[in-house]
Amino acid sequence: MNPDDIKIDDWLRIFYGELPASYFIEVIIRMTFVYLLLMVCIRIMGRRMASQLNRNEMAALTSLAAAIGMPVLSPDRGLLPAIAIAIIIVAGQRWISRIASRNEKFEAITQDDMEILVKDGVLELKAMQHSRITRERLFAELRAASILHLGQVRRLYIEANGKFTLIENENPKPGLSVIPNEDPELIEEQPKADDRLVCKNCGNTMFQPLKPEHECNHCKDVNWIPPIKPEA
């Protein structure tokens, strides 16, 4: 198309393009075929495709949609290449899933592994850094689960699929508050345990400093504050 032919008020070109009207019937036929092809591919790749996807399945589904979507938009693209691409993607995904179900190392390589983010009320900072999870994001997940301080948490995992799994402590202990600093009123309302201190950086209460400048034996920080007292 000549650039001089592009006009802002050319509504016919904007809505219909330069293809003949008969192509719209062909678009319906192509879209129906692509939709059915996607449904068949998802069915073949297994039930997990209808649930939460792991990384391999997400990559397969995205690649599949991108590859076989071209014949819908371009009249010069046939449907047979889309079928060939779909066969390759589906076969590759089923092969990866089969190997991963038999080999845990291969599964960890292709789908990543879980990490422990909180252990017995203490933040695992190295695991958080490796998983690229900030304190704000972690605390937000805990607040969403009605957790008000780390002493209520026995374990917090981030699974290989990115989902968080929380195991609460049956016998809560004093812990670091997860209430954001933007809500000082609620922080002030939380009852403090005055008989001990908690590391402000990681939530460690296992080591009690003799002096305020003593380093935490978990993260080497020197900031200590009173922890939140567990509910009776």
Side-chain angles (χ1 to χ4, degrees):
M1 174 183 289
N2 191 328
D4 295 333
D5 296 334
I6 300 177
K7 301 182 183 302
I8 192 63
D9 59 347
D10 188 357
W11 299 108
L12 187 64
R13 175 188 59 80
I14 293 174
F15 283 101
Y16 293 99
E18 296 188 344
L19 296 172
S22 60
Y23 180 68
F24 289 96
I25 300 176
E26 185 177 333
V27 166
I28 295 174
I29 297 174
R30 286 171 177 258
M31 189 65 242
T32 302
F33 180 85
V34 168
Y35 176 79
L36 293 175
L37 181 60
L38 272 174
M39 294 295 292
V40 170
C41 291
I42 292 174
R43 176 66 180 85
I44 294 174
M45 283 192 283
R47 295 180 180 178
R48 277 189 52 86
M49 296 300 289
S51 181
Q52 188 168 2
L53 307 180
N54 61 33
R55 295 183 180 184
N56 296 334
E57 292 160 345
M58 187 180 298
L61 186 60
T62 304
S63 301
L64 186 64
I68 69 177
M70 288 301 298
V72 177
L73 302 176
S74 181
D76 60 336
R77 302 290 181 91
L79 292 172
L80 287 180
I83 296 175
I85 293 173
I87 291 174
I88 294 173
I89 293 176
V90 171
Q93 172 58 27
R94 288 182 63 86
W95 176 79
I96 291 175
S97 298
R98 185 178 295 109
I99 299 299
S101 66
R102 300 175 182 176
N103 189 319
E104 292 185 0
K105 290 185 177 180
F106 182 80
E107 182 181 26
I109 292 173
T110 57
Q111 300 183 25
D112 209 343
D113 203 357
M114 55 81 65
E115 293 272 10
I116 302 176
L117 301 181
V118 180
K119 184 176 182 181
D120 295 327
V122 180
L123 299 177
E124 296 295 327
L125 301 177
K126 290 183 179 180
M128 290 172 58
Q129 184 178 8
H130 182 262
S131 303
R132 299 179 182 87
I133 300 296
T134 63
R135 285 167 57 94
E136 290 74 17
R137 170 73 189 283
L138 188 149
F139 285 177
E141 290 291 334
L142 292 177
R143 292 194 297 271
S146 299
I147 299 296
L148 299 181
H149 63 86
L150 293 181
Q152 298 175 266
V153 182
R154 185 177 182 185
R155 292 289 189 277
L156 180 66
Y157 305 102
I158 182 169
E159 309 292 351
N161 61 6
K163 183 179 179 180
F164 291 88
T165 301
L166 171 66
I167 300 177
E168 295 189 40
N169 195 344
E170 295 181 357
N171 299 304
K173 61 180 183 178
L176 182 67
S177 174
V178 300
I179 302 301
N181 294 328
E182 289 77 9
D183 192 358
E185 182 179 349
L186 184 55
I187 294 176
E188 188 64 27
E189 290 178 2
Q190 290 184 291
K192 309 298 190 297
D194 298 326
D195 58 338
R196 65 179 67 193
L197 295 173
V198 62
C199 177
K200 189 176 181 180
N201 187 44
C202 70
N204 181 22
T205 59
M206 302 300 293
F207 170 77
Q208 289 300 305
L210 298 177
K211 297 181 180 180
E213 64 271 14
H214 281 183
E215 291 184 348
C216 171
N217 63 349
H218 183 73
C219 68
K220 306 304 179 184
D221 199 81
V222 295
N223 293 314
W224 302 90
I225 59 175
I228 305 305
K229 184 186 301 183
E231 295 182 2

